[in-house]
Amino acid sequence: MDRLLLVGADLVAISLLTFAVYFPRHHRRDLVAAFLGVNVGVLAVAMVLGSTSVGIGMGMGLFGVLSIIRLRSYEIAQHEIAYYFSALALGLLTGLSESLDLLHTGLMVLVVATLYAGDHPRLFPRHRQRELRLDSAYTDEEALRSHLEVLLGGRVLNLSVKGIDLVNDTTLVEVRYVVPNAPRAAVAKPREGNPRTDDSPRGRGVRA
């Protein structure tokens, strides 16, 4: 009966993490299957290993092996890595537990709540990160910074030049910047004026 409660708690936790937190924000269907499959797979294996004397050690080894295989097989974003490890952690928490006590329940809630808060769209909503290929070769960082601020319509916080091609006259740069708060009136104004005169990246032809 305790094992059934653990399985049920794990399914509730991974469902909340995947369908209530991750998918409504990022809409990647392939990772939904990955999170669910990894979680349930780790849960099943961890429950079997948990019945032996080497269960915990084997479980942590399984955690590491699965992480290496998954992260080396396909490149995913940093926030998706966090969701992936959380799915693994939930499976291990329930799979290696003997009963659904207050500690394990609290840890599961903590994992889901941490991802909910840490990946919330209202957390630093004005901060952006882009990788751009510019049609000019910039060797002066200040000139590059000024051009990016005009192009993106925001204040550049950090930039990293990935490559400068003097032959083709291009610059590959990764930039982190903060956009200003858009006035509420500006949302309805494009119907009366030119929709390309705003300072947002979309108004300047920059693709998000």
Side-chain angles (χ1 to χ4, degrees):
M1 185 64 180
D2 288 339
R3 288 301 178 93
L4 291 178
L5 288 175
L6 287 169
V7 172
D10 176 72
L11 293 178
V12 170
I14 190 61
S15 296
L16 288 174
L17 183 67
T18 304
F19 297 112
V21 180
Y22 175 77
F23 191 75
R25 295 177 180 176
H26 303 289
H27 306 286
R28 280 196 61 176
R29 183 178 180 276
D30 56 333
L31 287 183
V32 169
F35 296 151
L36 296 176
V38 164
N39 174 265
V40 175
V42 168
L43 170 68
V45 175
M47 279 191 164
V48 174
L49 294 176
S51 61
T52 67
S53 59
V54 293
I56 295 179
M58 290 293 290
M60 296 306 297
L62 175 66
F63 185 95
V65 170
L66 287 174
S67 302
I68 293 173
I69 293 174
R70 180 67 182 96
L71 297 180
R72 286 175 59 89
S73 61
Y74 185 73
E75 182 178 356
I76 60 178
Q78 294 299 316
H79 66 275
E80 291 165 343
I81 293 176
Y83 281 100
Y84 179 74
F85 275 102
S86 296
L88 284 173
L90 290 173
L92 285 177
L93 275 173
T94 51
L96 296 178
S97 303
E98 294 296 330
S99 61
L100 189 62
D101 54 18
L102 185 60
L103 173 62
H104 291 87
T105 303
L107 290 174
M108 294 171 66
V109 172
L110 179 63
V111 170
V112 177
T114 299
L115 266 295
Y116 175 81
D119 190 41
H120 201 282
R122 292 187 179 181
L123 183 65
F124 304 116
R126 296 166 53 220
H127 287 252
R128 305 284 190 273
Q129 177 178 342
R130 297 286 185 272
E131 185 174 280
L132 304 174
R133 186 177 298 277
L134 306 176
D135 58 356
S136 297
Y138 286 90
T139 56
D140 186 344
E141 182 173 320
E142 290 303 318
L144 175 59
R145 182 184 297 271
S146 299
H147 176 71
L148 289 172
E149 289 184 344
V150 173
L151 182 66
L152 298 172
R155 180 169 58 90
V156 173
L157 301 176
N158 179 270
L159 63 87
S160 176
V161 177
K162 301 296 184 181
I164 300 176
D165 191 337
L166 297 176
V167 176
N168 297 316
D169 195 26
T170 61
T171 302
L172 180 63
V173 59
E174 179 181 323
V175 55
R176 296 179 178 88
Y177 63 102
V178 58
V179 297
N181 285 324
R184 292 188 177 182
V187 177
K189 193 164 183 176
R191 291 187 296 177
E192 302 175 2
N194 187 352
R196 293 297 183 182
T197 58
D198 61 300
D199 290 332
S200 65
R202 184 179 299 276
R204 295 185 177 273
V206 177
R207 297 181 62 186

